[in-house]
Amino acid sequence: MEERITSRKNPYLQLVRKLLTSRKDREKEGLFVADGTKLLEEAVRYFPGLETVILSDGVEACVPEWVRVLRVPEDVMASVSPMQTPQGAVFVCRLPEKKGFVPVSPMLLLDGIQDPGNLGTILRTADAMGVKVALLEGCADPYSHKVVRASMGAVLRVAPMQTTWAQAGQALREAGIPVAVTALSARSRNIRQAEVEKMAVVIGSEGQGVRREILESADHQLIIPMQSHCESLNAAVAAAIVAWEMGQV
């Protein structure tokens, strides 16, 4: 049964706004929010933690009977949706339980990827290529609405691991999985000549690259060949090339 909300000051809608803007509140409440009818379809199909769906008048969605449905006028939806042109569907999900780091190969380790668009794109690409992803320190929140949208629902299908370099590095060493970094250096070798399908490859942050402590402890340094007048690639593009070379599809 649907519930009707007509006030922008409704306490639950105020909570939704806080969840949209604050990682701290998302972690405190154990909830996150996403926007859009296509992403809602992905959540219904793949994500067990879907709790509440907010729909504009005239917008229909097929959701499980246990999911709470709130119906609102278009002006109220506009006050809640983070999109300039709302699609008429905002939904609230419970954050998945955090699980320990599991070392596997191949794998992408993301070091300080802060741009939500880049992070979401990497998660989307890794999902398509069948490559596991672990987020190290300094990454954007994978459950911010911007990352969820940029991932095209990949975070709803496959929860990215979140860990620290200390934990990941030790676990990978114990599992016998070599660590490689993408870097421009004298010891870097062509990625085409490396067995990346057997490695965990670190993609560094947009501005700083891979942290020095990871660079110094990595087993391999890799370079993506490109024209000499080009210095680097966007982090998401570099991750996509590495994922493709890992060859899981």
Side-chain angles (χ1 to χ4, degrees):
M1 182 176 178
E2 293 184 355
E3 303 173 44
R4 180 83 177 164
I5 293 178
T6 58
S7 173
R8 300 184 183 188
K9 297 182 180 180
N10 177 274
Y12 188 78
L13 299 186
Q14 291 178 340
L15 171 63
V16 170
R17 294 186 190 99
K18 289 172 62 178
L19 295 173
L20 282 166
T21 58
S22 170
R23 183 174 189 169
K24 181 178 180 181
D25 283 318
R26 288 192 290 272
E27 293 176 348
K28 175 185 175 182
E29 300 292 340
L31 300 169
F32 70 96
V33 180
D35 178 284
T37 53
K38 180 64 171 65
L39 287 177
L40 176 57
E41 291 175 4
E42 294 291 294
V44 169
R45 185 174 181 182
Y46 295 105
F47 195 75
L50 177 63
E51 289 199 346
T52 302
V53 174
I54 305 170
L55 298 173
S56 288
D57 289 337
V59 176
E60 300 299 329
C62 182
V63 300
E65 60 182 12
W66 62 84
V67 174
R68 183 186 184 195
V69 178
L70 305 178
R71 181 69 65 176
V72 300
E74 290 186 5
D75 66 305
V76 175
M77 175 59 71
S79 74
V80 175
S81 172
M83 303 301 294
Q84 187 172 358
T85 305
Q87 294 183 13
V90 170
F91 57 97
V92 181
C93 297
R94 184 150 297 279
L95 286 172
E97 181 181 350
K98 289 186 178 181
K99 298 180 180 180
F101 176 77
V102 179
V104 297
S105 62
M107 169 179 279
L108 291 175
L109 300 176
L110 307 184
D111 181 35
I113 302 296
Q114 298 177 345
D115 181 83
N118 279 342
L119 179 56
T121 299
I122 293 171
L123 294 174
R124 177 184 181 183
T125 304
D127 181 36
M129 297 295 107
V131 175
K132 297 293 185 184
V133 179
L135 278 56
L136 304 180
E137 300 96 323
C139 286
D141 182 2
Y143 296 100
S144 76
H145 72 90
K146 292 181 180 180
V147 175
V148 177
R149 174 169 289 277
S151 80
M152 290 298 290
V155 297
L156 302 172
R157 296 186 291 269
V158 182
M161 288 181 277
Q162 300 183 65
T163 185
T164 64
W165 166 243
Q167 293 172 335
Q170 179 178 346
L172 289 165
R173 283 193 298 272
E174 292 175 353
I177 298 173
V179 174
V181 298
T182 51
L184 293 171
S185 73
R187 59 177 283 220
S188 294
R189 60 174 172 150
N190 191 319
I191 190 173
R192 295 172 180 153
Q193 300 169 353
E195 295 181 302
V196 290
E197 70 277 4
K198 299 179 181 179
M199 301 177 180
V201 179
V202 185
I203 304 295
S205 69
E206 297 86 357
Q208 304 300 319
V210 178
R211 274 177 287 164
R212 179 171 294 278
E213 63 178 303
I214 301 178
L215 277 170
E216 293 176 349
S217 61
D219 302 292
H220 306 280
Q221 292 190 12
L222 306 175
I223 188 170
I224 298 170
M226 65 186 79
Q227 296 282 356
S228 59
H229 59 266
C230 297
E231 294 184 359
S232 63
L233 292 170
N234 170 275
V237 173
I241 293 172
V242 173
W244 174 257
E245 289 290 337
M246 287 173 168
Q248 294 302 291
V249 293

